[in-house]
Amino acid sequence: RAEVVINGSLSPAVVDRSNESMKHTIQPASSTWRHNQTLSLRIRKQILKFLDAEKDISVLKGTLKPGDIIHYIFDRDSTMNVSQNLYELLPRTSPLKNKHFRTCAIVGNSGVLLNSGCGPEIDTHSFVIRCNLAPVQEYARDVGLKTDLVTMNPSVIQRAFEDLVNATWREKLLQRLHSLNGSILWIPAFMARGGKERVEWVNELILKHRVNVRTAYPSLRLLHAVRGYWLTNKVHIKRPTTGLLMYTLATRFCNQIYLYGFWPFPLDQNQNPVKYHYYDSLKYGYTSQASPHTMPLEFKALKSLHEQGALKLTVGQCD
Ligand code: CTP
């Protein structure tokens, strides 16, 4: 019986980041990658011991009521009250109930997507997951347009929508939300206290303008469960990134998982510069002590899964 080897012994402390992309060579898209169905099923089963994406993707209406007090996951001493708006937007049943897809795309936000031409390929997948309301329209050739689920960390409202300081920014966010057109909007509302108001603003906007999105708010245990799974497999992540969370959830309802835009390194495989995000000027921050993420370590784990056929990573151009 083949072992699932997710990680070796690479310690973040000994990573030489200067030339790190050299260590992560991935064969071009057309190479001999083959999906390993047996391994994918085994991984799904292992992850199910820690979490169930069908349930943990969102808190449901039946489990909370307005006024309930929630302790933030990363700021246990801080609490929030479940507002009437949040309550109204909680789904009654899981947006993933009984869902199964032949192929799923998870689109990370790395600049490696630029000039990849991957848009059409991404759009052929049965279910497409995107992160942090990243723009698609202007980048369709490289990132595609199809969106079935998109995440929104509250910090996005500050970073990409100027904290809705005026009507112009409110309108921009509203247009972006309208463009989601019935897809799932996944908002980690209970992670850290800093996002409280931003989540409330978005909730209010959705209700006031009857935006056609299916909101979902991840369960309180999701993050620790995901971390637990990866720790058990010797991937010592501090705080899983959105991309890793999405992969972990997707194993439950996707037969084949294709990752695009995962490349947390400033140089590509040919040593050309790569933007941190394909759409903005944010700089590489994961090397700083303050960053909660350990993206290169996550990448190493994903690459190992790619080599074993459990997922497919595309880090260059699409055919
Ligand atoms: N990602 C990547 N390489 C990059 C940028 C992003 O692999 N250069 C992947 C990560 O898995 C990340 C996902 O794409 O989680 C989405 O990117 P981003 O919006 O930057 O997500 P987070 O870093 O998780 O968001 P935050 O900074 O709000 O925690």
Side-chain angles (χ1 to χ4, degrees):
R1 148 171 144 51
E3 278 291 298
V4 184
V5 184
I6 297 186
N7 198 17
S9 57
L10 187 74
S11 139
V14 297
V15 171
D16 169 14
R17 296 189 197 288
S18 57
N19 207 10
E20 208 169 343
S21 59
M22 293 294 278
K23 298 184 201 145
H24 298 292
T25 311
I26 301 267
Q27 297 305 311
S30 57
S31 77
T32 54
W33 182 87
R34 288 277 173 279
H35 179 231
N36 184 339
Q37 179 77 14
T38 317
L39 179 59
S40 297
L41 289 175
R42 195 178 309 138
I43 290 172
R44 175 185 294 170
K45 228 167 139 183
Q46 284 178 354
I47 291 177
L48 270 164
K49 291 183 186 153
F50 290 81
L51 61 126
D52 179 353
E54 193 174 294
K55 296 197 176 75
D56 291 305
I57 189 167
S58 186
V59 173
L60 299 181
K61 237 193 189 88
T63 64
L64 288 179
K65 53 184 187 321
D68 278 355
I69 292 171
I70 289 181
H71 286 261
Y72 286 103
I73 296 161
F74 294 119
D75 304 295
R76 295 293 305 160
D77 295 340
S78 299
T79 58
M80 63 171 276
N81 288 344
V82 174
S83 67
Q84 186 64 39
N85 282 351
L86 175 60
Y87 177 76
E88 273 178 44
L89 288 170
L90 290 175
R92 284 187 193 285
T93 51
S94 166
L96 290 180
K97 195 167 172 55
N98 298 327
K99 294 280 187 228
H100 286 285
F101 303 100
R102 199 177 71 76
T103 71
C104 295
I106 305 174
V107 187
N109 285 335
S110 162
V112 82
L113 280 164
L114 292 170
N115 298 317
S116 69
C118 286
E121 181 180 313
I122 290 173
D123 284 351
T124 62
H125 292 290
S126 335
F127 194 81
V128 179
I129 299 175
R130 298 182 189 273
C131 300
N132 285 323
L133 282 183
V136 286
Q137 214 76 46
E138 314 88 295
Y139 302 93
R141 209 179 69 85
D142 295 328
V143 310
L145 291 168
K146 184 170 157 57
T147 304
D148 297 287
L149 184 154
V150 64
T151 70
M152 192 211 85
N153 285 349
S155 56
V156 169
I157 301 305
Q158 178 191 22
R159 271 213 309 261
F161 297 95
E162 295 286 332
D163 260 345
L164 312 182
V165 285
N166 55 35
T168 312
W169 286 105
R170 282 196 291 279
E171 187 54 31
K172 270 196 187 167
L173 175 61
L174 191 58
Q175 288 315 318
R176 183 72 185 96
L177 294 174
H178 276 308
S179 75
L180 295 178
N181 215 359
S183 46
I184 302 168
L185 177 64
W186 191 81
I187 308 177
F190 313 123
M191 302 290 173
R193 64 174 173 219
K196 189 177 182 173
E197 286 176 320
R198 294 171 184 131
V199 173
E200 284 303 322
W201 296 337
V202 175
N203 288 344
E204 200 183 315
L205 218 55
I206 292 171
L207 287 168
K208 189 169 160 201
H209 297 272
R210 297 172 188 274
V211 177
N212 180 20
V213 283
R214 288 180 290 153
T215 37
Y217 305 84
S219 80
L220 292 167
R221 60 174 219 143
L222 177 71
L223 223 100
H224 292 305
V226 168
R227 199 163 164 260
Y229 166 74
W230 289 98
L231 281 178
T232 307
N233 285 284
K234 300 193 177 61
V235 183
H236 294 269
I237 38 178
K238 276 195 272 180
R239 191 189 290 189
T241 65
T242 305
L244 194 73
L245 283 175
M246 290 300 118
Y247 165 71
T248 315
L249 289 173
T251 58
R252 171 76 161 95
F253 55 95
C254 303
N255 278 353
Q256 297 184 18
I257 301 178
Y258 292 76
L259 267 47
Y260 305 85
F262 283 67
W263 187 259
F265 311 110
L267 296 177
D268 70 12
Q269 303 193 87
N270 302 316
Q271 304 304 297
N272 298 313
V274 178
K275 286 179 69 185
Y276 181 66
H277 281 162
Y278 67 82
Y279 53 89
D280 64 19
S281 52
L282 208 69
K283 298 286 174 245
Y284 284 82
Y286 64 84
T287 45
S288 85
Q289 284 298 316
S291 168
H293 298 318
T294 25
M295 273 197 206
L297 209 64
E298 287 187 6
F299 183 85
K300 186 171 179 272
L302 295 173
K303 187 186 168 219
S304 165
L305 291 172
H306 166 90
E307 284 158 0
Q308 297 171 80
L311 58 84
K312 183 169 179 194
L313 265 172
T314 298
V315 298
Q317 295 198 324
C318 287
D319 294 330

